[in-house]
Amino acid sequence: MEALPLDEKINDLKVVLKVEDFQQLLDALIRRDYQVVGPTLKEGAVVYDSLTRVSQLPAGWTDEQQAGHYSLKKRSDQAYFGYGVGPQSWKKFLFPPRITLWKQKSPGEAPEPAELPQDAPRYAFLGVRACELKAITLQDQVFLTGPFIDPIYQARREKVFIVAVNCGQAGANCFCASVGSGPQVTQGYDLALTEVTAAPEAYFLVEVGSQAGQTLLNEVTHRPATGKEVAEARQVVERAASEMSKSLATADLKDFLYTNYENPYWAEVAGRCLACANCTLVCPTCFCTSPEDVSDLTGQVTEHRRRWDSCFSLDFSYLHGGSVRPSRQSRYRQWLTHKLGTWQDQFGEIGCVGCGRCITWCPVGIDLTTEIRALRQAAATLTAGTETNPKSDER
Amino acid sequence: MLSSATKKPKLAVWKFASCDGCQLSLLDCEDELLAIAGALTIAKFPEASRAFARGPYDLSLVEGSITTPDDVERIKRIRQQSKLLVTIGACATAGGIQALRNFQDVNEYIRLVYAHPEYITTLDRSTPIADHVKVDFELRGCPISKTQLLEVITAFLNGRRPRLSNYSVCEECKLRGTVCLAVAEDVNCLGPVTQAGCGALCPAYRRGCFGCFGPRENLNLPSLVAWWQSELGLKPAQVELALRTMNAWSPPFKEASENL
Ligand code: SF4
Ligand code: SF4
Ligand code: SF4
Ligand code: SF4
């Protein structure tokens, strides 16, 4: 992101972009050599892919999500952003699923980096939701802070232009409000849109979040918003917030998880969990990878590659002599304990933004909010059991 | 690493009950075939050439399952002559589609299929190579993946361990950005319990995973099957159909299909 200090005036700026002028926004981005990526329909879902026309957006579609289920439905209007988050997240652009880090043509030669920072793609993200913006800032902490900066992520991240979108509805698996990441976007964007469809004429209320956003907006037909329009846009986000039924109580989560390694309920989840890794791969904050070294038949030409991996795969925790997490139970516990507990020690907050992807895209519908509740219940039952039955201490 | 001063290692390809599809993967390595032929002496590979060189062999690739009394003896001889024995494909590693007969009375089949059943000498079960001799390495798939085969040969030539996946097909699906069919289309996909290696080919063409790379480590079939029945409405007969294909005789699939 081209982050420049914002003056107060820009921050307060709210303008109206008419739906018929929306294409101008894409055109302006494309003129500036951005590769615009955003939501589009593919394989029965809303996925993020390259766009050049607003007609490629899933206008008039919405999604229905349950634990382990996803389906597209027609809307009664032509809203461009009338659905929740899909199976993919923006991390696939900033943190590519597979990438070659370096190549070596022969044992004597110096390895060459496969991608130089100046060659990294220049993306404009169109339609980033509040929880997703938060997820990007969480990955910023992972890849851009501390002694080791990830140059692949950094090169992409520095170039990216972000057009955020406020959510107008909450999906059944969303719980961003309870973890404080949405549904309203508050920072980290260049432009933020709120789509108002109910008015006689549909429009976007646009907020400017950066100098780059301001400059771009100048190339797009717009006018100042009226007080009524600002209020209408606010109602859109308020509706999303009020619709949200799922929640995660985060206050004492770390302490709870740190004192519940032996909670018997982990075995119950492991009975259902497939250790398939889908939850971690769809999660917009999970950042684990495995390195791979490959060679040609002669062993002369070699490549060092990196691909997404997950704490649910056996080899991921392979240390000298074997894997430290052979059981599904230990892998599921690792996922929740890292995401919601140890992440706080590493980065100062939890690693979950409440997007609900891990719930929808788990092929057996395992829901971390339900599992946390059940773990708490199991812990409470155990404590109650020891209190009413002092003899159990005698063992 | 094999120095150029030493003799080129000898490769042999052997066939048991199978369709030849896995051997064909070796011929399919068009671009790399010359390099392979340059690095190895192809001592026996009937699908490619009638030439035959005597053993011992440094690397034996074995395709197919054991289905006749003669097979049982032949695989022992091959083992004795092979430094490294790698089984290739679902037939060799799990018994193959022909192991469906293991669930039935094979003599009934013989009576139905052959005009002269008395000419047929067969075992009542189709079994994987590892049931009979020590196997150094198993390459899964129906057919195997050309990339994995090349990796095994490359690793062998360079004296290192092959780098092969033991995670789920789901990981490959997510890495290539395929939308999950199980979730978005209620398809009874075997991906979560199947070992990766194919690159999630079928889901990419909007077909659920058929499980041709066989059971992955620590798989949880009972949970997946319970979900299929409760959430996708599959009847036991449909579940059985999904579990009894190329890897029907692999212990986890066999057990799950027998407990419906
Ligand atoms: S843990 Fe689940 S709900 Fe939380 S950010 Fe990851 S995918 Fe979204
Ligand atoms: S939850 Fe697992 S996959 Fe995700 S970041 Fe933590 S260790 Fe990595
Ligand atoms: S919680 Fe669900 S998605 Fe995650 S590994 Fe287990 S079964 Fe797979
Ligand atoms: S389509 Fe099948 S293999 Fe792919 S993620 Fe879904 S369940 Fe796994």
Side-chain angles (χ1 to χ4, degrees), chain A residues 175 279 282-285 335 339 351-359 368:
Chain A
F175 56 100
C279 47
V282 294
C283 179
T285 70
W335 141 252
K339 186 103 322 196
C352 171
V353 300
C355 71
R357 283 183 178 89
C358 56
I359 307 171
L368 81 169

Side-chain angles (χ1 to χ4, degrees), chain A residues 42-43, chain B residues 173 176 178-179 181 199-208:
Chain A
K42 194 187 122 198
E43 298 175 346
Chain B
C173 231
R176 75 188 276 170
T178 302
V179 173
L181 289 139
L201 188 62
C202 292
Y205 291 92
R206 310 317 287 156
R207 295 294 301 265

Side-chain angles (χ1 to χ4, degrees), chain A residues 59-189:
Chain A
W61 288 94
T62 190
D63 55 16
E64 267 177 28
Q65 306 196 23
Q66 292 164 43
H69 296 287
Y70 178 100
S71 57
L72 291 174
K73 296 268 149 48
K74 273 279 181 195
R75 288 175 63 94
S76 56
D77 59 23
Q78 280 301 305
Y80 281 110
F81 297 100
Y83 37 83
V85 293
Q88 303 172 344
S89 69
W90 306 96
K91 87 173 175 185
K92 72 170 183 172
F93 300 110
L94 298 175
F95 166 47
R98 292 177 194 276
I99 196 159
T100 298
L101 299 179
W102 68 76
K103 294 182 183 178
Q104 195 172 20
K105 294 211 187 92
S106 71
E109 274 179 62
E112 295 166 17
E115 181 185 277
L116 296 168
Q118 59 267 31
D119 301 330
R122 185 173 146 89
Y123 291 120
F125 293 169
L126 176 64
V128 182
R129 309 302 174 116
C131 64
E132 300 184 305
L133 263 181
K134 176 72 186 178
I136 292 172
T137 62
L138 289 181
Q139 286 214 325
D140 286 350
Q141 286 190 54
V142 174
F143 293 119
L144 303 178
T145 62
F148 304 106
I149 305 293
D150 182 311
I152 307 274
Y153 184 90
Q154 187 180 36
R156 288 165 164 68
R157 181 70 177 99
E158 278 172 355
K159 293 178 184 178
V160 81
F161 186 99
I162 292 182
V163 183
V165 169
N166 279 312
C167 285
Q169 62 188 66
N173 289 332
C174 296
F175 56 100
C176 62
S178 65
V179 296
S181 69
Q184 167 103 49
V185 298
T186 51
Q187 55 186 359
Y189 55 86

Side-chain angles (χ1 to χ4, degrees), chain A residues 43 45 47 67-70 88 97-98 270-276 278 281-282 292-299 307 309 313-315 326-328 331 360-361 363-365, chain B residues 1 32 35-36 150 153-154 157-158 160-161 163-164 166-168 170-171 174-175 177-180 182-186 192 204 206 216-220 223-224 227 231-232:
Chain A
E43 298 175 346
V47 301
H69 296 287
Y70 178 100
Q88 303 172 344
R98 292 177 194 276
R272 281 175 286 132
C273 176
L274 310 172
C276 64
N278 275 303
L281 299 168
V282 294
E292 290 178 345
D293 289 292
V294 296
S295 70
D296 71 348
L297 280 164
T298 64
R307 64 168 177 85
D309 204 351
S313 69
L314 180 73
D315 283 354
S327 68
R328 288 196 303 276
R331 296 182 215 173
T360 303
W361 299 96
V364 290
Chain B
M1 170 86 88
E32 298 86 358
I36 294 175
L150 274 173
I153 296 177
T154 308
L157 287 171
N158 289 289
R160 63 168 170 82
R161 264 183 58 169
R163 182 188 44 78
L164 298 172
N166 65 359
Y167 43 83
S168 67
C170 297
E171 273 204 43
K174 289 292 178 286
L175 258 69
T178 302
V179 173
C180 176
V183 171
E185 294 176 27
D186 285 350
R206 310 317 287 156
R216 54 172 281 239
E217 63 80 29
N218 219 331
L219 76 173
N220 190 349
S223 168
L224 187 66
W227 180 265
E231 294 280 319
L232 310 186

